Amino acid sequence: MKKRNLTSTALAVVVVGSIGLTGCSAGAGSSGGESGGSGDSTGTLIVYTNSNSDGRGEWITAQAEEAGLDIEIVGLGGADLANRIVAEKNNPVGDVVFGLNNMYFETLKAEEAITAYEPEWAGEVDQESGDPKDGAFWPLVEQAIVTVYDTNKISESDAPSDTSDLWNDSKWDGRYEVNTALGQATPQLILAGLLTQHLDEDGDLGVSDKGWEEVEKYFAHGSPAVEGTDLYARITRDEVDFGVLPSSGIAARDAEYGTKTGVIAPEVGVPYVTEQISVIAGTSKQDRAEEFIDWFGSAEVQGEFAKEFSAYPVNEEARAQALPEVIELIDSLDKQDIDYNLVRENIAAWVEKTELEYLP
Amino acid sequence: MRNSSLRTMFRSPLVLVVLVVLLWFIATFLLFPNINLLVSTFFPGGEFSARAVEKLFSSERAMKSLFNSFLLAISLAVTVNVVGIFIVLVTKYFQIRGSRVLWLGYATTLIYGGIVLAAGYNFIYGRYGFITNAVRNVWPEVDPNWFSGFFAVLLVMTFATTTNHMLFLSSSLAKIDYQTIEAARNMGASTWKILWKIVLPALRPMIFAVTVLTFLTGLGALTAPLVIGGADFQTIAPMIVTFSKSASSRDLAALLAIILGLATIILLAVMNRVEKSGVYFSVAKVATPLKKQRIQNRAANVVVHVVAYLLFIVYATPVLLIVLFSFVDSTAVLTGSITLSSFTLDNYATVFGSPAVLRPFIVSIVYSALAALIVVGGLLFVARVIQKYRNPVTSVLEYLLHIPWILPTILIALALVMTFDRPNPLIGGQVLTGTTVLLLVAYIIVKIPFTLRLLKAAFASIPDSLEDAARILGAKSLFTFRRVLFPLVIPTAAAITALNFNSLLDDYDAAVFLYHPLYEPLGIAIKASTEGESNLDSMSITFVYTVLLMIIMGLTMYLVYGRSGGTTRRRKGRNVTPDAVANDPAAAAAVANTK
């Protein structure tokens, strides 16, 4: 009795499994296997992105389908996605990549994992935001990385005028959140924003001692982010007063937590990230990849996207359709001058040094 | 061991086939890709670089984190054994009122873990947890951050990692020859003495196996220290994750992982040596199922009952909370002010509202089931060969099979992508990068060491005489394996399959680099739905997915344990463990004898 029961269970699992396997290998045969080498120019266009959350991925897929483009979104976090594209470069799986910031695109370019293509809308965007030298990648939307607080708790006049006051003024000791997950994009940009203010060719890793001191103090006096707990939840329960956030996240949080966000606008400006788009080198669907880029970056689609997801498009014609509060916020913040090529060359070493010496 | 010589080993055709397949697999999927990666990591430009060693040893933070990881691993090896053996004894050995309910409570760790588990504990004992609040209402001077640091991490991880004890130690316990216990009692031995002199020694191979696993879990601890470790107790795993994602720091990640892996292998070697010095055939030759023992001393009986139920509460509350929280508005959960109006079905609506929500579940179930079955099925033969023939060849093979423990999953995955992105003669000139097969290969690889350790421990408790009897009676080796040995290890094998299946379901680390774009697995889907700058409900959505996963995993465990348990009870009319009967050695011996 007993034994038969177990055997039948095991049998059932094996049967189900092998059905699955045939399904899988059929899939491998038709899309993976053949596109493995080259030549398969039909089939779904694989779009790699880190910008598919909050319903963006579904929206883009649906809009693309209306425009007659058959795409499949593969969404991964920034660092993971860049690593995956580099690892796959001898046998690329994706056809197009968008959403990563300049830093990651500089890496992809240096690894020869993307190829230059000048889109139809090239004239409508500021070349400086992309890759003015080689045109390997092209800008889509911009975001500011800002230090925020709740004006219900701290009035604008009491708030520090410069972010460095947070770690230089004992008043704010332990009252601002620092993100220690340096493998992720935003914490890396914050670090880059700090260190590029203190560049010094003779200093360690091209940064002056003063710069490293700032980093040390920044982490020493901050309150490490809590995995799984949103910054605004911590602000609401009075654990911290300040924290860093990409500007596109503010509106939703004010609505959810009843906060009224204020932003620190330092004199040097704040780091901006520009999400880019490019064709993945070695794709077998070059024509359709280009078609997708021409469509997605166009003023019309970018305008719709901006309206839907409170984004700030680089495309000047599309910018008119961005939400007024988004335009107002971005206009109020100066762009910090960051040389992303230099950051790309150094960020890994900077992260390593910070991780080994300065994290709490 | 007399039959351990190489010559005997090579005489059996079955063993030869197993060895050839094994050698091919090790060379192709374990050695070749990882050596490739390690060479390019430690020999940039063809020359060895000691950079990683210098960097790490001069970093105070790295050394402290490393120390913490070891401290945690060693402490866990002790505490998990204490708690684990206790819960196994109260559910399977002693007569405890309501032991089946207790078992269900303790078994909750089978179906959840990671960030959700740590968060669950944090919601109870953490700074804003309700126990902390309740205590502070009475004694306001209590530090609200009391539940943090080493002590908190150790506590959470102790209760989170008794899974292996629950499954494997229970099944070993069920195999103990009850007549030895009866004999000892007739000679006047006390409850305590029987436990100490007969029961625990018989469990030693399995205790060794689960101790190694616990040690490894402690070394690799990632989420519990992140969530409740605080500034004083951070471990090395987060640093390994950060470094393995950066091409230029990968040598540091690899070096750290190798240090942890080697420590585990050394422990393994010590355990192997200790195990070799004893004989632990514990399978009863006459089927007298284990009868639950009364605790004679009244006071001791009361104490054991109280502790058992206290533990039950500790185990069960986080799970109940997570189910509850999946129905609560996330803001209310995070700000700690839950009222009746906070209850909502929105979280479920969000998960089920997204298109094709079921597809990732199916993809992950197929991958996990295939990987779990293949790895257990294959290693059944390998574990037997390694356990039976102890010689230098099998020792080397055994250690090579532990390579997946030495490297973090992220590096194994990257090594596979980069190795199989061109036609490879070892696999018949196929390209695997970009196909659906590669993720399956990775899943099989990462589950090898765990499966091997437990299967080997299961085989260790089978006396050679059974196999000899079958052979003398003329059974072929494959037949002997199928009809004599296989039935004896099937409970353990089924449990390992279920655990492997459960743990692969929501994998992220391997999938992130290897998944085929058209077959998105669950871990990726969960991550995607919980990330996003304007997505504030991430914790609640994680809870919803956890509840859904609990249902699938619960069903898996039911298929393996519950159903068979039911039929046994009906048939035998008494409350014995399902394993005891599933593993009916007398029947197996009878089969051998009739041939």
Side-chain angles (χ1 to χ4, degrees), chain B residues 247-320:
Chain B
S248 66
S249 304
R250 212 161 270 156
D251 51 343
L252 295 179
L255 180 64
L256 282 173
I258 288 172
I259 294 173
L260 299 189
L262 284 182
T264 313
I265 300 295
I266 290 171
L267 178 69
L268 189 70
V270 172
M271 295 275 182
N272 268 351
R273 181 144 296 219
V274 178
E275 200 178 303
K276 231 179 262 182
S277 67
V279 181
Y280 307 97
F281 298 150
S282 57
V283 175
K285 289 169 195 65
V286 182
T288 316
L290 188 74
K291 274 203 205 95
K292 288 205 175 178
Q293 301 291 298
R294 265 189 81 84
I295 301 175
Q296 304 292 346
N297 184 319
R298 270 191 79 85
N301 197 13
V302 171
V303 170
V304 169
H305 270 82
V306 169
V307 175
Y309 277 90
L310 279 178
L311 279 177
F312 173 79
I313 294 170
V314 170
Y315 273 98
T317 5
V319 182
L320 295 179

Side-chain angles (χ1 to χ4, degrees), chain B residues 122-325:
Chain B
N122 212 18
F123 285 128
I124 302 173
Y125 310 101
R127 183 167 177 181
Y128 301 90
F130 68 78
I131 295 245
T132 309
N133 280 338
V135 171
R136 270 167 60 83
N137 282 340
V138 187
W139 297 285
E141 68 277 9
V142 169
D143 177 10
N145 289 321
W146 71 281
F147 196 73
S148 128
F150 171 66
F151 150 79
V153 173
L154 181 64
L155 201 80
V156 168
M157 291 200 62
T158 300
F159 293 123
T161 51
T162 48
T163 313
N164 294 325
H165 285 81
M166 278 296 285
L167 293 182
F168 303 111
L169 211 56
S170 294
S171 94
S172 294
L173 179 69
K175 279 184 244 166
I176 287 182
D177 187 353
Y178 182 62
Q179 292 184 343
T180 55
I181 296 175
E182 265 185 330
R185 220 182 26 218
N186 289 342
M187 289 192 283
S190 68
T191 311
W192 178 248
K193 192 163 185 185
I194 294 174
L195 192 62
W196 198 247
K197 293 279 181 193
I198 295 176
V199 178
L200 290 182
L203 296 179
R204 268 169 74 182
M206 200 47 101
I207 291 181
F208 289 158
V210 290
T211 303
V212 173
L213 296 175
T214 308
F215 186 78
L216 185 78
T217 314
L219 280 185
L222 177 66
T223 42
L226 273 182
V227 178
I228 47 182
D232 300 333
F233 195 77
Q234 286 305 316
T235 50
I236 203 75
M239 202 185 262
I240 297 182
V241 171
T242 302
F243 285 155
S244 37
K245 288 184 179 174
S246 149
S248 66
S249 304
R250 212 161 270 156
D251 51 343
L252 295 179
L255 180 64
L256 282 173
I258 288 172
I259 294 173
L260 299 189
L262 284 182
T264 313
I265 300 295
I266 290 171
L267 178 69
L268 189 70
V270 172
M271 295 275 182
N272 268 351
R273 181 144 296 219
V274 178
E275 200 178 303
K276 231 179 262 182
S277 67
V279 181
Y280 307 97
F281 298 150
S282 57
V283 175
K285 289 169 195 65
V286 182
T288 316
L290 188 74
K291 274 203 205 95
K292 288 205 175 178
Q293 301 291 298
R294 265 189 81 84
I295 301 175
Q296 304 292 346
N297 184 319
R298 270 191 79 85
N301 197 13
V302 171
V303 170
V304 169
H305 270 82
V306 169
V307 175
Y309 277 90
L310 279 178
L311 279 177
F312 173 79
I313 294 170
V314 170
Y315 273 98
T317 5
V319 182
L320 295 179
L321 270 191
I322 283 157
V323 176
L324 183 80
F325 284 168

